[in-house]
Amino acid sequence: MLQALFALPRSVWLLGLISLVNDSASEMMYPLIPLYLSGVLMAGPRVLGLIEGVAEAVASLLKLWAGVMVDRSGRSKPWILGGYGIAGLARPAIAFVGSWPLLGLLRVADRIGKAVRAAPRDALLAVHIAPEQRGLAFGLHRAMDNTGAVIGPLLAWALLSAGVPLQQVFLWALVPGAVCLLLASGVRDAPPPAAPPPAFSWVMADLPAPLRRYLVVVALFTLGNSSNMFLFLRARELGVSESQVPLLWAAVSAVAALCSVPLSALSDRLGRVRLLVAGYAAYAVFYVGMAVWAAPGWRLYALFGLYGIFMAATEGVERALMADLAPPAQRGTAFGWLNLTMGALLLPASLLFGALWEGVSATVAFGFSAGCALAAALLLTLWVRPTMTMR
């Protein structure tokens, strides 16, 4: 496997390094936002669900638009540069907000930055790798992304432990954001398309049937996959200290970083669907555990470690499966639909999760998410897989 890894094109490694640096900035502040909302801005789960859901919903249409534009122009680099630039400015600005609506606006800007770069980046990755290496390449990208997600929370923990005020921690995101933009300027763009893609259709009529079915499964799973920030609120509710919350997220990212390459590469041999079903099952077990079994100490770290395994088994494989199912001339559009589906459903998912938590109980909210994951796994096995002629 090491030989195959080092044989991957330079562009794959560079895009992975960019994600590593970017996530060290993003994930440094990510677990602190719910703490800032509840401890400084005095907002609860409903507001958190509203902010995260609206941010993703606003950005979701841009994800599809950016993918379509990549197919039309054959250029990914401008979108990648613009996306990282917007996010790099929005994150540190959170240090200056004094109300949750302003924080929400900056989260929208951060998600817009992610929206305009996500589909172009994934399409560019797919261009530079052979079909039999897609699981390995996307797994490497996710592993490097998650390595940055280990570095970021550890930096946040170190700064908080050293007595740096919570608001000032956000300012430190400016440094890796600038480095990320510098690295992105060295990305090699894809060659221009040999022929124009088919006309865009909002009903996806021109996309293969297995791909459309796969998007339905992703939508169902995402309905139960609300913002990860609820996990941090749950940890605080269980008694975890403020400075320890970033360590929990670092543990998740460390497990995901270690396991992403071997698990995603395994999908090149055993099939994408098997890995996704196993990942969805791990997600369901994790959410049930957070509802009825979690407690401060080793139990919580064990559960968050399981969440890292879920991420490793799904994040790269989801994209590799989309690259398998999408016609070459429509890869940007296909990845745009994938990102749109994930982003648009986060609004109802987060609002519903927050409402169930505050209106009924945390147990019911976490149980609902687990049920969506199991239903998605069943649908993927019985409805999508029989129509596929590939992994």
Side-chain angles (χ1 to χ4, degrees):
M1 181 184 293
L2 285 178
Q3 184 178 1
L5 271 176
F6 290 119
L8 290 173
R10 171 186 174 273
S11 297
V12 174
W13 284 95
L14 180 57
L15 287 169
L17 180 61
I18 292 168
S19 287
L20 186 155
V21 176
N22 176 71
D23 260 45
S24 69
S26 175
E27 302 300 326
M28 180 171 67
M29 49 167 279
Y30 186 66
L32 303 182
I33 288 178
L35 308 184
Y36 189 60
L37 271 172
S38 60
V40 179
L41 304 182
M42 302 303 171
R46 286 182 188 271
V47 170
L48 177 61
L50 177 65
I51 288 175
E52 289 301 294
V54 168
E56 289 291 350
V58 169
S60 60
L61 285 176
L62 282 176
K63 294 178 180 180
L64 176 58
W65 177 70
V68 172
M69 293 305 294
V70 166
D71 287 340
R72 289 284 180 269
S73 66
R75 301 192 66 197
S76 296
K77 185 173 179 177
W79 304 99
I80 294 172
L81 278 170
Y84 284 118
I86 293 169
L89 292 173
R91 292 169 190 151
I94 291 177
F96 303 104
V97 305
S99 64
W100 69 259
L102 287 177
L103 188 147
L105 286 175
L106 289 174
R107 283 295 289 167
V108 169
D110 183 25
R111 295 300 86 186
I112 287 175
K114 182 177 181 179
V116 299
R117 72 177 184 258
R121 180 203 62 212
D122 291 340
L124 188 59
L125 269 172
V127 166
H128 288 303
I129 52 179
E132 64 273 12
Q133 292 180 306
R134 283 173 181 155
L136 179 65
F138 278 100
L140 173 65
H141 182 266
R142 297 311 305 166
M144 296 182 75
D145 186 276
N146 283 309
T147 300
V150 175
I151 295 170
L154 289 178
L155 287 174
W157 169 77
L159 291 169
L160 289 172
S161 299
V164 177
L166 185 62
Q167 287 174 272
Q168 292 185 21
V169 174
F170 293 119
L171 287 174
W172 284 88
L174 185 63
V175 177
V179 174
C180 181
L181 195 58
L182 182 63
L183 290 172
S185 65
V187 170
R188 179 170 60 88
D189 217 336
F200 175 73
S201 169
W202 279 104
V203 296
M204 299 184 284
D206 57 323
L207 294 174
L211 190 154
R212 298 198 301 269
R213 292 190 177 196
Y214 174 48
L215 288 173
V216 172
V217 171
V218 170
L220 175 59
F221 175 77
T222 306
L223 186 62
N225 188 19
S226 58
S227 172
N228 288 328
M229 292 187 183
F230 288 112
L231 305 180
F232 310 140
L233 280 183
R234 179 62 170 166
R236 287 290 286 141
E237 183 182 74
L238 292 171
V240 176
S241 67
E242 184 178 274
S243 63
Q244 293 293 312
V245 169
L247 291 183
L248 279 172
W249 193 238
V252 171
S253 301
V255 172
L258 290 172
C259 298
S260 287
V261 170
L263 288 180
S264 294
L266 194 61
S267 76
D268 289 330
R269 301 194 303 272
L270 298 184
R272 320 285 187 216
V273 170
R274 290 179 182 176
L275 265 294
L276 283 181
V277 168
Y280 289 169
Y283 180 94
V285 171
F286 167 75
Y287 265 71
V288 170
M290 289 294 289
V292 301
W293 188 70
W298 71 269
R299 286 190 181 185
L300 204 56
Y301 275 95
L303 282 170
F304 271 70
L306 178 62
Y307 193 68
I309 292 175
F310 147 72
M311 290 170 58
T314 57
E315 289 182 336
V317 178
E318 283 174 339
R319 288 160 176 79
L321 180 56
M322 181 56 72
D324 288 343
L325 296 174
Q330 295 175 285
R331 283 204 184 105
T333 301
F335 279 113
W337 276 114
L338 178 65
N339 287 298
L340 169 63
T341 302
M342 292 176 171
L345 268 293
L346 187 61
L347 174 58
S350 296
L351 290 176
L352 181 57
F353 194 97
L356 287 173
W357 188 332
E358 286 197 7
V360 187
S361 68
T363 300
V364 171
F366 280 89
F368 172 79
S369 293
C372 286
L374 292 176
L378 187 64
L379 206 59
L380 188 61
T381 303
L382 300 180
W383 189 52
V384 177
R385 189 176 186 181
T387 67
M388 295 170 56
T389 58
M390 56 190 74
R391 297 176 189 274

